[in-house]
Amino acid sequence: MAYASKLPESRFNAIYDELYKRAEAAAMASYQAKLAKAKTRKQREKCAGHYPSDWSKLLDLWCRDKVSNLHVLDCLRIGQVYSGEELSSMPVH
């Protein structure tokens, strides 16, 4: 159970779903915060886009077998992504 590709499909899906929920929630929070600051229609339109977070980076790295299952499960257990600086320094494709 070292990396995502080695997990049974049902376990992979369960972890993926939980990571996705957290990445989605973080993106929505960032979007809403930016939207709240927008005063004009043009500023609101500029709020559209991609809002990466530590959770989305972790999800991407985990799916590419760059982060172990144990690390992901620890992050889910404590409710935050640790080693955020390390994650942000790795390119996401």
Side-chain angles (χ1 to χ4, degrees):
M1 192 167 135
Y3 292 96
S5 64
K6 302 297 183 194
L7 290 172
E9 186 175 355
S10 61
R11 185 70 174 136
F12 174 89
N13 289 341
I15 295 171
Y16 182 93
D17 289 346
E18 189 59 37
L19 281 173
Y20 185 84
K21 281 186 223 175
R22 294 188 189 213
E24 182 180 41
M28 185 57 76
S30 294
Y31 171 72
Q32 292 297 332
K34 190 171 182 180
L35 191 61
K37 293 178 184 176
K39 302 295 182 207
T40 67
R41 182 180 65 83
K42 197 169 211 168
Q43 288 173 333
R44 286 189 297 275
E45 287 173 357
K46 286 184 178 181
C47 292
H50 181 65
Y51 290 88
S53 67
D54 285 348
W55 286 109
S56 61
K57 291 173 188 174
L58 181 63
L59 174 60
D60 175 68
L61 293 171
W62 178 69
C63 286
R64 294 187 296 127
D65 285 347
K66 302 291 184 186
V67 176
S68 74
N69 296 327
L70 293 177
H71 179 81
V72 170
L73 293 173
D74 283 346
C75 290
L76 290 171
R77 183 179 49 77
I78 65 173
Q80 71 180 50
V81 178
Y82 62 92
S83 301
E85 293 172 10
E86 293 170 19
L87 292 175
S88 65
S89 68
M90 297 182 88
V92 177
H93 299 275

